[in-house]
Amino acid sequence: MPNDSNAFFDCLVIGSGAAGLTLALRLAEAGRRVAVLSKSRLSEGSTLYAQGGISAVLDDRDSVESHVADTLTAGAGLCDEQAVRFTVERGRQSIEWLIALGVGFTRAEDDAGYAYHLAREGGHSHRRIIHADDATGRAVETTLEALARQSDAITVFEHHVAVELIRDSRGVRCLGAHVLDTATGHVRTLAARDTVLACGGANLAYLYSSNPHAASGDGIAMAWRAGCRVANMEFMQFHPTCLFHPQARSFLISEALRGEGARLLRPDGHAFMADHHELAELAPRDIVARAIDAEMKRLGVDHVWLDISHRDADFIRSHFPAIHGRCLELGLDMTREPLPVVPAAHYTCGGVVTDLAGRTDLPGLYAIGETACTGLHGANRLASNSLLECIVFATAAADHMLAEPGETITPQALPAWDESRVTDSDEEVVVAHNWHELRRFMWDYVGIVRTNKRLERARHRVELLRAEIHEYYGSFRITADLIELRNLALVADLIVQSAQQRRESRGLHANLDYPNRLPQAAPTVLVPPPRPDPVQAAAR
């Protein structure tokens, strides 16, 4: 951990997943000085737990046009086709870059066709998912992490939480961020020519989530408070198959199982997906998640079953070693019996509005990965497009920074963090209570299926919570839990506002009061309220 309290960097990257580390390495290769901020260990985050793989056109039997079409179909008419093509066309070179770095993707079992094994997942018309067994995220993350630690140009700040972005005196440019060192409780000031939000989504707004603890919407919340627009926050993707087990509430069962023939079953053993969609288990995630939710509610059960035991046991063990091993630890043998599964909040399709270089509304501030809304995902993310987006847009942002370097900023020119009027809290239970209440009502009222009344209730409760959190935040010294709660409450409010504005059902957003899809698709864009000019406010 660095000893300097305040420092200047060419780029400050907030987040250490595939997007953040890719950008850091790209800049470091060009000799730029980069700081990478991680809430926990450098490798800890959503990327580490990604199972399925990365979608890209790699086989001669596949095509860019087919991948584009599949993405547009999954996005339910709301994708930005320019962003889709931009991403898909850069798929192969992104994979080749990862292979050159040493990511150990699974090789093909024969010499015919592409050299690496390609899986097929829901919504894809071809096998185009390159993977490292069933632990692709771990293979990518650990490779990038090792290279970042070896780079003399990259300074790693582990166990540091971003508190707030710093803007210039007129509020028109990002100059860096205040960050909390959770080991000491000290707040550092990190100045940077460019600042990048690569800190994931906001899936912890829900009681059941497949994501690690870090996914609390920090980047989206900080960007909103800094004056950036956010879009499509109503589209929260629920992964259809999270293991239902008290000791593994966030363990995903990859949809690659369904790509290899796994079937979703009712308690009586009936395979039900064909009753809901012509593609059955290979339907897009939103359809599968709603089908499971509907079966659970209709039957009054707390989970359904996912069964791949009809496949050869050696095939299951060789293709899904991590999932098979973890299930065995929990007393479940997927080679012999079905697994209990439920949907869980998995991916935030909306986020901070950016262009194709990752630029936000605030000069000097970029957003990439799940934090951003590029237009790629529309109303529903196609399986395994997320890691692809991370690599593609991290590279694009790095290229833009290298082509147009920003101005030099010194830490001395930035305002220091002010703790002169706060005290240590003696009521930490308030944070824990509010955290649980927020996630519970978001799950109950703003979940897989919504109604106007549920959304009204959620909006009322989130407003009350935010007022209470605001008072608490202004009175006590900050902690990591308080920072995350503050951000999560804000992002929950943005999700509810977006859901209330969409008067139709489309993609991941299903409202029983508006069951039909409107003829024209339009993004939901929220604009922060205008803020007074800091210079004029100080003069008054």
Side-chain angles (χ1 to χ4, degrees):
M1 184 180 69
N3 292 322
D4 52 333
S5 178
N6 302 325
F8 166 76
F9 298 91
D10 293 309
C11 183
L12 168 61
V13 182
I14 303 174
S16 59
L21 291 182
T22 294
L23 185 140
L25 289 170
R26 294 285 196 179
L27 292 179
E29 290 170 358
R32 296 297 173 86
R33 190 179 177 215
V34 184
V36 176
L37 208 71
S38 179
K39 280 185 174 182
S40 182
R41 294 178 295 109
L42 187 63
S43 62
E44 186 69 20
S46 295
T47 297
L48 187 70
Y49 298 96
Q51 295 174 343
I54 308 174
S55 61
V57 178
L58 301 168
D59 192 296
D60 292 340
R61 291 164 289 189
D62 197 3
S63 68
V64 167
E65 290 303 319
S66 177
H67 193 176
V68 168
D70 290 345
T71 301
L72 294 175
T73 298
L78 203 61
C79 297
D80 182 325
E81 186 169 350
Q82 182 184 9
V84 173
R85 290 190 176 277
F86 179 86
T87 308
V88 170
E89 288 171 354
R90 288 158 177 77
R92 178 182 282 270
Q93 66 191 59
S94 297
I95 298 303
E96 290 174 348
W97 181 73
L98 291 173
I99 291 173
L101 294 183
V103 176
F105 292 114
T106 301
R107 290 277 181 172
E109 297 172 353
D110 54 54
D111 296 329
Y114 190 59
Y116 294 90
H117 182 265
L118 300 176
R120 183 182 177 189
E121 295 179 348
H124 289 274
S125 57
H126 291 81
R127 286 183 171 267
R128 63 169 67 102
I129 314 302
I130 189 169
H131 60 99
D133 291 331
D134 58 346
T136 307
R138 180 171 294 274
V140 171
E141 180 71 13
T142 54
T143 301
L144 298 180
E145 177 195 10
L147 293 170
R149 290 191 185 278
Q150 294 168 14
S151 174
D152 293 334
I154 297 176
T155 303
V156 174
F157 291 85
E158 293 182 299
H159 303 285
H160 280 68
V161 179
V163 181
E164 204 70 279
L165 299 171
I166 303 172
R167 296 178 294 167
D168 63 11
S169 61
R170 300 196 67 84
V172 296
R173 183 173 181 83
C174 185
L175 304 180
H178 291 302
V179 303
L180 173 68
D181 180 343
T182 58
T184 66
H186 176 67
V187 176
R188 301 174 184 269
T189 300
L190 300 183
R193 284 194 182 95
D194 296 299
T195 301
V196 181
L197 299 171
C199 31
N203 312 306
L204 286 182
Y206 290 87
L207 185 61
Y208 300 105
S209 170
S210 66
N211 293 156
H213 189 77
S216 51
D218 303 322
I220 298 169
M222 286 188 290
W224 175 265
R225 290 194 295 265
C228 299
R229 292 170 298 156
V230 301
N232 294 344
M233 291 299 295
E234 68 270 39
F235 298 115
M236 178 65 69
Q237 186 176 79
F238 290 82
H239 195 288
T241 52
C242 189
L243 188 66
F244 184 79
H245 194 283
Q247 297 175 31
R249 293 180 61 179
S250 62
F251 186 69
L252 279 185
I253 305 300
S254 170
E255 66 182 299
L257 267 76
R258 288 183 279 124
E260 297 296 346
R263 297 170 299 181
L264 285 161
L265 310 177
R266 294 175 184 142
D268 63 3
H270 175 75
F272 61 81
M273 274 308 303
D275 300 336
H276 293 267
H277 195 273
E278 60 184 7
L279 293 177
E281 275 77 10
L282 290 178
R285 285 178 174 175
D286 61 322
I287 294 171
V288 179
R290 280 199 296 273
I292 294 173
D293 183 68
E295 293 289 338
M296 289 169 55
K297 289 177 177 175
R298 185 178 67 84
L299 298 172
V301 296
D302 50 14
H303 65 82
V304 295
W305 299 94
L306 182 68
D307 187 21
I308 197 173
S309 63
H310 54 280
R311 296 296 306 264
D312 179 75
D314 289 338
F315 172 88
I316 295 171
R317 284 190 286 264
S318 64
H319 280 72
F320 307 106
I323 297 174
H324 178 257
R326 178 58 175 146
C327 287
L328 283 180
E329 293 174 359
L330 299 168
L332 302 170
D333 185 352
M334 60 191 284
T335 68
R336 305 179 61 182
E337 60 187 339
L339 301 175
V341 294
V342 293
H346 182 60
Y347 192 88
T348 308
C349 287
V352 183
V353 175
T354 72
D355 64 10
L356 296 182
R359 292 182 297 178
T360 71
D361 295 328
L362 181 63
L365 181 66
Y366 294 73
I368 54 177
E370 194 174 352
T371 301
C373 182
T374 64
L376 170 64
H377 305 305
N380 183 22
R381 175 177 68 88
L382 181 64
S384 290
N385 269 359
S386 53
L387 286 177
L388 175 63
E389 180 186 37
C390 288
I391 308 301
V392 168
F393 280 89
T395 301
D399 289 344
H400 187 271
M401 291 178 200
L402 293 173
E404 299 184 18
E407 60 190 73
T408 299
I409 308 296
T410 63
Q412 292 74 22
L414 274 59
W417 183 253
D418 183 8
E419 289 187 329
S420 60
R421 291 177 290 180
V422 297
T423 61
D424 291 322
S425 171
D426 58 356
E427 294 184 1
E428 288 294 322
V429 68
V430 174
V431 174
H433 174 80
N434 286 355
W435 180 278
H436 180 76
E437 181 180 349
L438 174 70
R439 299 180 73 195
R440 167 58 71 181
F441 74 65
M442 286 295 290
W443 181 263
D444 290 341
Y445 299 147
V446 201
I448 295 174
V449 178
R450 302 155 181 178
T451 67
N452 290 346
K453 191 66 176 179
R454 292 174 190 170
L455 293 175
E456 288 173 10
R457 290 170 177 162
R459 185 70 190 279
H460 176 67
R461 281 161 175 75
V462 79
E463 287 175 348
L464 292 175
L465 269 184
R466 288 193 64 202
E468 186 173 322
I469 294 166
H470 178 75
E471 180 181 359
Y472 191 96
Y473 184 84
S475 302
F476 301 109
R477 286 190 176 87
I478 57 173
T479 64
D481 287 343
L482 178 57
I483 293 168
E484 290 182 331
L485 175 63
R486 179 186 182 226
N487 290 334
L488 207 57
L490 170 55
V491 173
D493 193 9
L494 298 176
I495 293 171
V496 175
Q497 288 187 54
S498 298
Q500 288 181 311
Q501 288 193 22
R502 185 163 295 280
R503 300 192 172 189
E504 63 169 347
S505 289
R506 180 183 297 272
L508 300 167
H509 175 74
N511 187 329
L512 297 179
D513 292 308
Y514 302 112
N516 300 317
R517 182 187 295 189
L518 294 175
Q520 295 295 323
T524 304
V525 181
L526 302 181
V527 181
R531 295 167 177 262
D533 186 300
V535 175
Q536 294 180 3
R540 290 198 295 270

